[in-house]
Amino acid sequence: MSVAGDIRRDLPAAVPEQKDVWGSDAVAAMLRALDVPYVALNPGASFRGLHDSLVNYLGNERPQMLLCLHEEAAVAIAHGYAKACGRMMGVVLHSNVGLMHATMAIFNAWCDRVPMLILGATGPWDAARRRPWIDWIHTSADQGALVRDYTKWDNQPGSVAAAYEALLRGAQIADTAPRGPVYVNLDAALQEAKIGPLPTLPDVSRYRSAEAVLPSDEVVQTAARLLSTAKNPVILAGRMRRSEAAWKDRVALAEKLQARVLTDIKAGAAFPTDHALHAAPPATFLEEWGRKALREADVVLSLDWIDTAGTLKQAWGDAPVSAKVILVSPDAHSHRGWSMDYQGLPPADVYMMCEPDIVLPLLLNAVRPRTAIVQARIEEEPETTDALSIRAIADAFNEITAGMEVCVTHLPLGWNGAYRHFRHPLDYLGANGGGGVGAGPGMTVGAALALKASGRLVVGIVGDGDFLMGVTALWTAAHYRIPCLLLVANNRSFYNDEMHQERVARERGRPMENKWIGQRIDEPDIDLAMMARAQGAEAFGPIRDLKDLRSAIEKAVQAVKNGAVCVVDVRVVPGYDSNMSGNAGGAAAAARR
Ligand SMILES: Cc1ncc(C[n+]2csc(CCOP(=O)(O)OP(=O)(O)O)c2C)c(N)n1
Ligand SMILES: [Mg+2]
């Protein structure tokens, strides 16, 4: 073992000089040529060829393997990594079964438009070469079909030359906006074939993803005219990249236009939430200030907002949207039939099928300053409480991390967007994309891997349900020495769904007090801190008393700064903040409806 550079790397013993090269060596060489930094995996015989090549041909570096205890964690780690640094990581999945385990996490990454190079394996495709039983059950016709509806592209190359091209094309497609995972399925026989000398690797620099698409000057001018002459322009700042320059452009555009800005708790930080022009706490379902800002708008600039139609509907209902809509989003390139994550169809008076961060400097240059004074929002403090609640976690966490550079990777369903301000693109990474519970721990580990050298404290605040489904990602963090913190808002329940049962019971005139059945996680009570320790993490808790919360989080933050993976189990009261406007606002509102 060596702690090479930053994370731990398991060092292979020296390999004697080799004269033979195998199919999977060529695949591994291509991964290095593509500069894939890590591959997260859970092992499997279908890719034993590639596994050997990564260890014994490449020496377990560039890419380095990250062993995961579940395929869902492997994909979630790659997801969090790409979210934090914008770079694509690799994942290797065993035949059909590993892929089946990974599917939910791939769906999350797809919905979150995150680039990822997923390698799969099957076969041998040549039935005559299959071992009895096991190679047959782990071979599926058209294996890519399992994930085709939520990957950008998939392929099963028939030769090494075709594998080179598949990886080049896959990486190019994954990293072209709208980004997303791709799946390249490697036949076991292809991996295990002796191929003679390594076929010359292509010059990767000639197969990069395309330059960003720019709108025509005419369209930019039309949009700029609308915005400059608007009475009440509103900007919906949705999916953005983590660039500081683009962040500054967004602030400058809002200030030049004196436009109110809304942000989304499902997307990473897109605008300073404490800016006077930020109209309402980031939320899934608009709260009163957000709805009011939008209803008063005569021009709406939607910057790759995740659900423009659904958000406009919250302001205008079923009436036609009276505001002019400028839509800036390449997302429709990913819209197909199976997954409806494309949401409702928004009206667009001006439509630029471009990445917003690319368009911003053009718009900033083209708009005329508006002098209208925007009425600042009156900050409504969410109700304080003496209870050990998610709000109490937020208060203690905010106090302890004041002035610290922190990256919040994940927030629990009961979080109110007003609980914490975001002032930098890395202050918050957004939700898991597809609403698949269990992603929080893995995404936090992936983001921590990406940000390890940055000095930022990487923190996921997760529900107990999310923690329990994804906990083994912590072992990967502990093994590879990737410091990160998980604060578990442990209400001992899949509480979001208690609210749904409450709603159904209310509608049907049945007893609401039965809502906990099939939802509460107790008797036996699960010791989350012990589960964390079992993965090699440090842990505090269960914290049952408000007076113990602060010191536990303080100690945990210190432990992470000293290099630990750390978990705090906070026994919060079941129940969401009644003032909620975050994820839970949506859940609560949905449950109330
Ligand atoms: C994979 C998956 N299974 C089930 C659900 C349905 N679901 C949505 S929220 C939720 C509860 C999550 O529990 P927890 O993380 O503890 O948060 P809480 O609801 O208690 O605030 C469940 C089960 C889902 N979204 N994804
Ligand atoms: Mg819970």
Side-chain angles (χ1 to χ4, degrees):
M1 187 285 280
S2 86
V3 183
D6 50 3
I7 72 165
R8 164 200 250 179
R9 182 164 70 86
D10 297 320
L11 283 182
V15 180
E17 190 71 31
Q18 301 273 298
K19 62 176 192 314
D20 292 321
V21 172
W22 307 79
S24 56
D25 293 340
V27 171
M30 192 65 212
L31 291 176
R32 179 172 285 175
L34 286 166
D35 203 20
V36 174
Y38 304 102
V39 287
L41 57 81
N42 183 263
S46 61
F47 68 86
R48 63 188 186 181
L50 179 62
H51 198 120
D52 171 72
S53 298
L54 291 168
V55 174
N56 291 317
Y57 187 67
L58 293 188
N60 193 25
E61 61 179 338
R62 295 182 303 120
Q64 180 189 337
M65 274 186 198
L66 299 177
L67 177 59
C68 300
L69 307 190
H70 194 292
E71 288 82 356
E72 209 172 89
V75 176
I77 287 172
H79 184 171
Y81 182 88
K83 261 175 110 92
C85 68
R87 270 184 82 187
M88 164 170 33
M89 236 183 81
V91 178
V92 194
L93 301 171
H94 174 43
S95 70
N96 45 15
V97 284
L99 182 62
M100 286 172 189
H101 255 188
T103 48
M104 186 208 77
I106 297 173
F107 179 68
N108 274 344
W110 160 263
C111 293
D112 214 16
R113 309 295 186 244
V114 158
M116 193 181 294
L117 187 56
I118 304 171
L119 302 185
T122 191
W125 190 242
D126 177 357
R129 302 182 57 185
R130 281 178 211 153
R131 293 174 295 162
W133 184 66
I134 186 72
D135 281 345
W136 288 82
I137 52 170
H138 285 172
T139 303
S140 307
D142 197 10
Q143 192 163 284
L146 266 175
V147 292
R148 185 161 302 135
D149 288 315
Y150 40 98
T151 46
K152 283 190 77 181
W153 181 74
D154 71 278
N155 188 248
Q156 186 173 316
S159 66
V160 166
Y164 276 178
E165 185 166 319
L167 291 172
L168 273 179
R169 190 194 303 270
Q172 189 183 60
I173 290 175
D175 208 24
T176 300
R179 294 174 180 78
V182 295
Y183 178 69
V184 178
N185 192 21
L186 300 166
D187 177 12
L190 168 71
Q191 296 175 55
E192 297 188 20
K194 201 187 277 187
I195 58 168
L198 186 76
T200 309
L201 285 161
D203 176 358
V204 169
S205 68
R206 301 183 71 192
Y207 299 91
R208 284 191 303 254
S209 49
E211 299 299 332
V213 173
L214 291 171
S216 72
D217 187 48
E218 198 187 323
V219 179
V220 173
Q221 293 303 332
T222 308
R225 245 190 329 272
L226 276 174
L227 288 164
S228 309
T229 56
K231 284 203 177 62
N232 268 316
V234 167
I235 298 173
L236 302 178
R239 287 190 196 102
M240 303 292 165
R241 307 210 79 186
R242 301 298 99 211
S243 128
E244 277 185 44
W247 176 275
K248 285 182 185 145
D249 283 347
R250 254 170 265 141
V251 173
L253 182 69
E255 288 177 353
K256 195 167 175 188
L257 288 170
Q258 285 297 298
R260 289 196 180 99
V261 180
L262 288 169
T263 56
D264 183 350
I265 199 106
K266 299 191 295 306
F271 194 81
T273 54
D274 56 353
H275 195 289
L277 290 168
H278 192 251
T284 292
F285 287 72
L286 294 179
E287 49 81 273
E288 197 194 320
W289 275 90
R291 234 185 346 260
K292 182 169 177 299
L294 207 52
R295 226 184 287 116
E296 290 169 1
D298 56 345
V299 177
V300 174
L301 173 63
S302 170
L303 302 175
D304 205 11
W305 188 257
I306 290 170
D307 180 12
T308 303
T311 298
L312 296 175
K313 196 171 183 173
Q314 289 173 65
W316 279 278
D318 291 329
V321 175
S322 57
K324 294 276 187 215
V325 178
I326 303 165
L327 194 62
V328 185
S329 168
D331 205 56
H333 286 299
S334 283
H335 298 174
R336 289 180 288 139
W338 182 83
S339 169
M340 313 241 169
D341 66 291
Y342 48 70
Q343 315 287 337
L345 183 66
D349 302 284
V350 181
Y351 188 176
M352 298 178 230
M353 219 168 166
C354 311
E355 284 183 272
D357 285 341
I358 304 295
V359 174
L360 278 168
L362 307 178
L363 277 179
L364 180 58
N365 189 40
V367 295
R368 288 197 311 276
R370 276 176 13 99
T371 50
I373 302 300
V374 172
Q375 186 198 348
R377 172 169 62 96
I378 302 152
E379 284 273 352
E380 276 177 89
E381 275 290 306
E383 289 159 31
T384 51
T385 159
D386 293 335
L388 191 46
S389 59
I390 296 180
R391 171 71 200 269
I393 296 179
D395 287 347
F397 176 58
N398 289 344
E399 226 179 288
I400 291 161
T401 58
M404 242 182 241
E405 287 200 331
V406 175
C407 174
V408 175
T409 58
H410 186 278
L411 290 169
L413 288 159
W415 188 268
N416 180 319
Y419 284 168
R420 184 177 173 90
H421 280 301
F422 306 127
R423 304 180 179 93
H424 184 277
L426 281 173
D427 279 0
Y428 175 55
L429 297 184
N432 59 28
V437 171
M443 286 175 59
T444 302
V445 174
L449 173 65
L451 298 176
K452 175 138 192 215
S454 73
R456 256 178 202 266
L457 179 78
V458 176
V459 185
I461 310 178
V462 299
D464 50 324
D466 199 67
F467 178 84
L468 286 164
M469 288 194 203
V471 62
T472 63
L474 294 179
W475 178 84
T476 301
H479 178 78
Y480 293 101
R481 304 190 174 158
I482 305 168
C484 55
L485 174 60
L486 283 186
L487 302 176
V488 188
N490 181 2
N491 51 21
R492 283 136 288 135
S493 172
F494 294 103
Y495 186 75
N496 177 71
D497 289 85
E498 287 198 37
M499 293 199 301
H500 283 288
Q501 296 321 124
E502 180 179 317
R503 176 198 161 196
V504 173
R506 188 188 307 114
E507 251 172 35
R508 297 180 178 182
R510 294 172 181 176
M512 288 188 279
E513 64 264 34
N514 290 337
K515 66 178 182 177
W516 62 275
I517 295 175
Q519 310 278 2
R520 289 284 165 95
I521 311 169
D522 59 8
E523 294 180 12
D525 180 67
I526 302 181
D527 189 336
L528 302 190
M530 203 187 275
M531 287 183 82
R533 279 186 213 109
Q535 318 292 318
E538 285 187 31
F540 299 91
I543 304 299
R544 300 176 196 276
D545 215 313
L546 190 57
K547 69 174 175 19
D548 301 325
L549 179 63
R550 225 195 108 102
S551 78
I553 297 181
E554 233 160 26
K555 282 187 219 146
V557 166
Q558 200 47 53
V560 175
K561 283 185 166 178
N562 293 340
V565 178
C566 198
V567 172
V568 186
D569 172 9
V570 188
R571 301 298 176 93
V572 297
V573 287
Y576 289 165
D577 183 343
S578 59
N579 247 350
M580 68 193 102
S581 56
N583 294 338
R592 275 196 299 271
R593 270 195 301 274

